[in-house]
Amino acid sequence: MRFYDRESEIGILLNNEQQSEKSATFTVLMGRRRVGKTSLVMKAFEGRQYAYLFVSKDSEAVLCNKFQQAIEEQLSIRVYGRLTTFHDFFEVVMKESLHRHFTIVFDEFQNLYKVNPAIFSEIQDLWDRYHRESHLNLITMGSIRSLMKRIFEDENEPLYGRPTSKFTLLPFTINVIKQIFRDHKPDYRNEDLLCLYMLTGGVAKYVELMMDAGCYTKEKMLNYFCRQDSYFLSEGRDLMNQEFGDEGSTYFSILQLIAAGLNRRSDIDGAMQKDMGTFLQNLERNFNVISRLKPILAKPNSKTSAYEISDQFLRFWFRFVWPYQSLVERRQLALLRQNMSLHYEQFSGRTLEQFFQQSAMESGHYTMVGNWWDRKGENEIDMIALNEFDHTGIAAEIKRNPRKLSLSELERKVSNLPSADFGGYNLTLQTLSLEDL
């Protein structure tokens, strides 16, 4: 699959590189695994002089020897002797950059914690000493969100406040997913588009795997997902093990409950037989795996809330793969596939809502997009999108089957919206189905 989109991100990287010709820049690029960070950097600096350094979990001496070879080969930096400490390596880089402009890219930067945690203090010391006269374009990339946040956003950490640029690479937008699908299968069906969105969430590697394998229909995608050699069957476990460490089993259990529909705090506590508040907070704030949903315009202290797995792939994986690891291990993948078909329509109904909500937010017409429901659970509106500047918006009922949509029922629900919150908004009512993708 060819390279798609990312014009604005490439623009950021090239602007930073241009700025570094006069004064050193320090860019932090974050993003979940497989979202395309490495491909982005390689595309941005195609034909330019840079050194790509992957931080493997080797000993410090072995890692520095690899880095030394890389800068000698890729940047023609002459180093006398063998570098065995990161301090010595980085000092060579910083001193070289005093009279020469170049780019250094560290991939999986957070792995330096495993190599030697003191390295971050060494980077701080050397950066503070040399960066004012330096012409270095330094880029650090990382996929473990909790560690990257700790390194750069914890004010007690040595590298806090040092980056000059920081951004997160997100999965492809819905319009880009459509463009990719259209290029590979111009006559794709809406059902197939929804399935591609549900299984990949726009993560570049996942979309590429599906397109390169010729999986252009819902059936082919699900079959590919359940193949014996499937990349996807172990991907969820690999992703989460990177983040969770020793407390993984508890987090896995909570995510399985949320994926199965137990998404209220009381339901989760009851199923786990203890208070899960700290774990839920970590999943939401530190790991960014779940979101806490509230009715749109609800007060910040509202207790009416529910949890949802934010990542489309992980939402699917924790619903249909993780609970059935015994089937995966015994290679009874036909049964796994059969279960997906059995519950597909029900599960994809919520995915359809998320698809339209994401589309509304990406349209640029609305400042807030979400659901609304009352405390009694008698009235629920699948999507409300609001523009807080001109006080317009839409309220929509969303169903897979258009025959199940009722504009009069939506009107009744909208009439129950609290006037104190919504009275100033001019809402247009819509009914949306699979036919409207």
Side-chain angles (χ1 to χ4, degrees):
M1 189 177 83
R2 68 176 178 84
F3 190 88
Y4 281 88
D5 195 42
R6 309 305 196 193
E7 288 86 359
S8 62
E9 291 87 354
I10 289 175
I12 291 171
L13 293 174
L14 294 183
N15 284 338
N16 289 347
E17 187 209 21
Q18 186 177 10
Q19 179 184 333
S20 67
E21 293 179 7
K22 298 178 180 178
S23 178
T25 56
F26 188 160
T27 301
V28 176
L29 172 55
M30 294 185 285
R32 70 160 346 261
R33 196 168 79 154
R34 310 308 185 202
V35 79
K37 299 184 297 299
T38 304
S39 297
L40 168 67
V41 167
M42 290 183 173
K43 182 69 174 180
F45 295 111
E46 201 170 29
R48 287 174 161 81
Q49 194 172 45
Y50 73 98
Y52 172 82
L53 309 176
F54 181 82
V55 183
S56 54
K57 297 175 183 178
D58 294 309
S59 69
E60 185 172 358
V62 170
L63 186 65
C64 290
N65 185 245
K66 290 180 180 179
F67 289 172
Q68 178 178 346
Q69 292 177 6
I71 63 172
E72 288 176 341
E73 294 171 4
Q74 299 173 40
L75 296 174
S76 301
I77 295 177
R78 296 181 63 185
V79 181
Y80 298 99
R82 181 176 179 180
L83 301 177
T84 58
T85 68
F86 191 90
H87 178 279
D88 291 344
F89 165 78
F90 198 61
E91 187 164 33
V92 167
V93 169
M94 293 303 298
K95 285 183 175 180
E96 181 74 14
S97 71
L98 295 177
H99 55 83
R100 177 182 166 199
H101 168 253
F102 56 89
T103 296
I104 293 282
V105 180
F106 287 105
D107 199 355
E108 297 301 348
F109 183 73
Q110 75 282 334
N111 286 345
L112 288 174
Y113 263 124
K114 301 286 187 180
V115 178
N116 179 2
I119 286 173
F120 301 110
S121 295
E122 295 169 354
I123 293 174
Q124 176 206 1
D125 173 54
L126 293 166
W127 180 262
D128 289 350
R129 276 199 279 156
Y130 292 109
H131 81 275
R132 288 177 181 83
E133 290 77 36
S134 166
H135 305 285
L136 174 64
N137 180 31
L138 176 63
I139 300 173
T140 59
M141 302 192 297
S143 58
I144 301 181
R145 178 181 171 83
S146 54
L147 287 179
M148 290 295 284
K149 284 184 67 178
R150 175 181 168 186
I151 293 167
F152 294 109
E153 298 180 12
D154 186 337
E155 60 184 15
N156 296 315
E157 291 293 316
L159 292 182
Y160 176 79
R162 266 60 188 186
T164 56
S165 175
K166 182 171 63 176
F167 67 100
T168 299
L169 187 65
L170 300 175
F172 290 137
T173 65
I174 284 175
N175 281 338
V176 174
I177 296 173
K178 288 181 179 180
Q179 179 189 349
I180 294 170
F181 210 177
R182 195 180 301 117
D183 288 348
H184 288 81
K185 179 69 172 174
D187 59 343
Y188 70 79
R189 300 177 307 155
N190 286 353
E191 184 74 77
D192 305 326
L193 173 62
L194 181 64
C195 187
L196 181 65
Y197 173 75
M198 180 179 69
L199 297 180
T200 70
V203 173
K205 179 66 175 180
Y206 305 159
V207 175
E208 181 181 40
L209 285 170
M210 290 292 184
M211 294 299 98
D212 287 351
C215 298
Y216 305 143
T217 67
K218 179 190 82 172
E219 296 301 318
K220 286 185 177 180
M221 291 178 205
L222 292 174
N223 289 343
Y224 185 73
F225 200 100
C226 294
R227 273 179 20 174
Q228 183 173 340
D229 62 342
S230 172
Y231 173 92
F232 296 104
L233 292 178
S234 62
E235 172 69 356
R237 183 180 64 244
D238 295 342
L239 270 176
M240 294 296 91
N241 280 339
Q242 276 191 327
E243 289 280 4
F244 297 151
D246 296 337
E247 295 181 320
S249 60
T250 302
Y251 288 119
F252 272 72
S253 298
I254 293 172
L255 290 171
Q256 180 178 327
L257 292 173
I258 294 173
L262 291 177
N263 53 12
R264 311 278 180 171
R265 168 72 182 276
S266 56
D267 296 335
I268 296 168
D269 288 348
M272 297 293 290
Q273 292 294 296
K274 59 181 178 179
D275 187 337
M276 289 288 104
T278 300
F279 290 94
L280 288 167
Q281 189 176 73
N282 286 338
L283 283 170
E284 180 184 6
R285 298 180 183 179
N286 296 333
F287 301 126
N288 201 35
V289 176
I290 65 173
S291 302
R292 188 155 66 103
L293 306 180
K294 295 182 180 180
I296 193 169
L297 294 185
K299 301 294 186 290
N301 59 352
S302 171
K303 295 182 179 179
T304 306
S305 63
Y307 290 98
E308 185 168 69
I309 298 176
S310 309
D311 186 286
Q312 289 294 333
F313 167 78
L314 290 175
R315 180 173 170 264
F316 185 88
W317 190 86
F318 274 103
R319 173 62 181 86
F320 291 108
V321 179
W322 176 246
Y324 309 105
Q325 284 299 292
S326 60
L327 294 181
V328 176
E329 291 166 5
R330 298 199 306 267
R331 291 290 182 252
Q332 292 181 299
L333 301 179
L335 289 175
L336 192 75
R337 173 69 177 86
Q338 183 180 350
N339 186 57
M340 290 178 184
S341 293
L342 188 63
H343 299 283
Y344 181 87
E345 286 206 6
Q346 179 184 9
F347 183 84
S348 63
R350 173 56 186 153
T351 307
L352 186 65
E353 293 178 21
Q354 294 171 319
F355 184 98
F356 282 118
Q357 289 176 6
Q358 184 175 334
S359 293
M361 184 56 79
E362 290 175 356
S363 72
H365 300 315
Y366 308 104
T367 58
M368 298 177 65
V369 178
N371 304 68
W372 182 86
W373 64 95
D374 59 21
R375 290 184 178 181
K376 297 180 181 179
E378 296 173 354
N379 296 289
E380 182 174 353
I381 300 175
D382 298 325
M383 181 176 75
I384 295 181
L386 303 174
N387 185 316
E388 298 165 276
F389 300 120
D390 62 13
H391 290 85
T392 61
I394 59 173
E397 182 177 3
I398 301 170
K399 295 282 189 293
R400 283 180 52 90
N401 188 343
R403 291 189 294 273
K404 294 183 178 181
L405 292 168
S406 170
L407 189 59
S408 60
E409 178 65 12
L410 178 59
E411 290 173 345
R412 183 192 67 77
K413 292 177 181 178
V414 170
S415 69
N416 285 289
L417 289 171
S419 58
D421 297 325
F422 295 91
Y425 285 91
N426 180 22
L427 295 179
T428 301
L429 275 54
Q430 293 184 359
T431 55
L432 298 169
S433 73
L434 193 60
E435 295 180 355
D436 298 300
L437 258 64

